[in-house]
Amino acid sequence: MAPLPPLATVTELETWLQVDPGAAPQGAATLALDVASGLVRDEARCPFTMRVSTASLPIEDGVITPAGPVLAVESVTVAGEALTPSQWEVDDGTVTLSRHVLRGYPRRARVTWQHGYQTVPAPVKGIVLDAVARSIVNPRYLRQESTGQRSLTFATESFTVSLSQIERDKLQRYRPGARFGPMGRVSGVTGVR
């Protein structure tokens, strides 16, 4: 699988830092954006891309809850039988099976669905840009700097590209199952878009 692109661009970083286009050190900024994006993806356990997954998911009260955000459901198979779209309905990221499908009391369904993010959510992009900005603004990893009567103290998070506890807490909502229900067993990701 090809590496995922950074969650923000150097141009966005320059806008974030309020500097002229081309002013950011391109190599360092690109590397820092890649590192920060990896940290954010690892913490959120989410690639922030669109993808297609196939998983065996539990059926609870006639409802299946794939990991989201759900963009489209491509197929649903129950007890080895591929259901037609008239036998299930998608509403707000959940799949509801029609009553006659539930007569055999199935416990699991194999679902193929498209999910993820078409664009990086603004809060996630902000976390990446903040993490990189801390590193770019303090490239010598100074704890404190004084010039005349002006004194500047950096937080310990500015010593490397890292995430603060508040940023980690904000990323929890993007974890699979955090608000979209149980993921089930993913048997294979069939594509990343």
Side-chain angles (χ1 to χ4, degrees):
M1 186 186 320
L4 296 171
L7 296 171
T9 66
V10 173
T11 302
E12 290 170 324
L13 177 62
E14 290 170 334
T15 302
W16 193 260
L17 292 172
Q18 300 177 30
V19 298
D20 293 330
Q26 298 295 305
T30 300
L31 180 59
L33 286 166
D34 191 43
V35 170
S37 297
L39 290 171
V40 165
R41 285 180 169 121
D42 287 349
E43 187 64 38
R45 298 181 190 146
C46 178
F48 297 105
T49 61
M50 290 183 3
R51 59 207 181 281
V52 175
S53 295
T54 298
S56 173
L57 301 172
I59 301 170
E60 296 177 8
D61 297 324
V63 175
I64 306 164
T65 309
V70 174
L71 303 172
V73 175
E74 296 177 6
S75 68
V76 179
T77 303
V78 175
E81 178 188 342
L83 304 181
T84 64
S86 65
Q87 294 175 301
W88 48 271
E89 177 182 301
V90 180
D91 183 36
D92 198 26
T94 61
V95 179
T96 303
L97 301 176
S98 52
R99 292 185 193 270
H100 72 277
V101 172
L102 299 171
R103 288 189 186 139
Y105 301 103
R107 297 177 67 199
R108 297 191 76 77
R110 186 168 185 78
V111 181
T112 299
W113 75 106
Q114 184 181 33
H115 58 114
Y117 296 88
Q118 295 175 341
T119 59
V120 178
V124 172
K125 188 173 292 237
I127 290 170
V128 169
L129 291 169
D130 273 345
V132 173
R134 288 190 299 265
S135 169
I136 296 290
V137 168
N138 187 14
R140 294 182 298 163
Y141 306 118
L142 299 174
R143 176 71 177 116
Q144 186 172 27
E145 183 176 33
S146 297
T147 307
Q149 291 190 1
R150 182 174 177 257
S151 178
L152 183 62
T153 302
F154 294 99
T156 55
E157 289 87 5
S158 68
F159 292 159
T160 60
V161 176
S162 61
L163 300 176
S164 69
Q165 188 59 50
I166 292 172
E167 291 166 335
R168 285 187 175 101
D169 292 344
K170 288 179 181 179
L171 290 169
Q172 296 303 307
R173 69 182 296 242
Y174 295 100
R175 284 188 170 190
R179 59 183 181 144
F180 299 111
M183 176 66 173
R185 287 182 316 158
V186 175
S187 58
V189 174
T190 56
V192 174
R193 295 183 185 145

